[in-house]
Amino acid sequence: MTRSLHTQPLLAVAAMLMAAAIALRLLLPTVPAWAPVLVLLSAVVIGAVAMRRGASGCMDAPPALRRRYTRDMTVGMVSYMALVFASLLLLRTVEAPALRALIALLPVAPIALLMRAMLRFIRGVDELQQRIELEAICIAAALVSFGYMTGGFLQAAQVIDVPASAAMLWVFPLVCGLYGIAKSVVARRYR
């Protein structure tokens, strides 16, 4: 398979996220301004990772594993986007706190599916690729933790004022984006 065939699913997800950001802004004007920006930045990061995917080592995985990973990631991302929209629309009409909590947590289930797909992929590759994955996730987690802590100090000093919900929602996409970037850098060391 060519590199373009391997990157097409991720590029499709990036395109769907871009469309989702635009739709979010147009269809739900009461949504906080940072929400579509977060979705759009996620699309840019996923698109960038897709373009660098050849260097990331995914192409070294067995074809069956790549197909399963791509399928699971696509299903997870499409489900996530659908449930984010559904929850945002439903939250506009529901007042009961328990029901609001349940609706707000709807998009969490597909994230669990995405994490499961990542773990299954890592377990299915050889030891060298597992080492690359481990180093990349360690770098990503360290950078996001460092940034989050730095932001916390600036917030405590009242230098910045970031809403807690915005900061919390940025953690997972930032880890994923930095993981993809770190993975392509780390993979170069072993090639």
Side-chain angles (χ1 to χ4, degrees):
M1 261 189 216
T2 65
R3 180 178 174 196
S4 65
L5 289 178
H6 294 295
T7 60
Q8 285 175 350
L10 282 178
L11 290 174
V13 168
M16 286 188 290
L17 284 172
M18 284 184 180
I22 294 166
L24 193 60
R25 191 71 188 142
L26 296 176
L27 300 176
L28 300 170
T30 58
V31 154
W34 54 263
V37 171
L38 175 66
V39 174
L40 186 61
L41 286 175
S42 299
V44 170
V45 168
I46 289 172
V49 169
M51 298 310 289
R52 307 251 336 143
R53 191 171 181 182
S56 72
C58 289
M59 292 179 64
D60 295 337
L65 179 63
R66 282 195 316 257
R67 282 191 301 273
R68 182 177 71 189
Y69 177 71
T70 301
R71 182 192 65 231
D72 291 350
M73 291 297 282
T74 303
V75 168
M77 285 303 295
V78 170
S79 301
Y80 173 74
M81 288 185 340
L83 289 175
V84 163
F85 278 119
S87 70
L88 289 173
L89 288 172
L90 288 171
L91 285 171
R92 295 168 72 185
T93 61
V94 175
E95 297 297 324
L99 191 53
R100 286 183 66 79
L102 184 64
I103 292 168
L105 292 175
L106 284 175
V108 173
I111 295 297
L113 292 175
L114 293 172
M115 293 169 70
R116 178 178 170 245
M118 290 177 203
L119 287 172
R120 288 173 72 182
F121 175 79
I122 291 168
R123 287 181 180 150
V125 295
D126 63 26
E127 290 84 7
L128 175 60
Q129 187 62 39
Q130 286 178 349
R131 182 178 180 142
I132 292 169
E133 302 287 341
L134 175 65
E135 285 186 39
I137 196 64
C138 286
I139 291 167
L143 289 174
V144 170
S145 298
F146 180 77
Y148 200 79
M149 185 180 69
T150 302
F153 284 128
L154 292 172
Q155 184 98 5
Q158 298 178 345
V159 174
I160 62 171
D161 186 24
V162 178
S165 60
M168 287 185 220
L169 286 172
W170 272 95
V171 171
F172 187 70
L174 281 174
V175 169
C176 290
L178 289 173
Y179 161 71
I181 294 166
K183 185 174 170 182
S184 65
V185 171
V186 170
R188 280 192 199 147
R189 284 187 23 214
Y190 293 100
R191 301 288 177 228

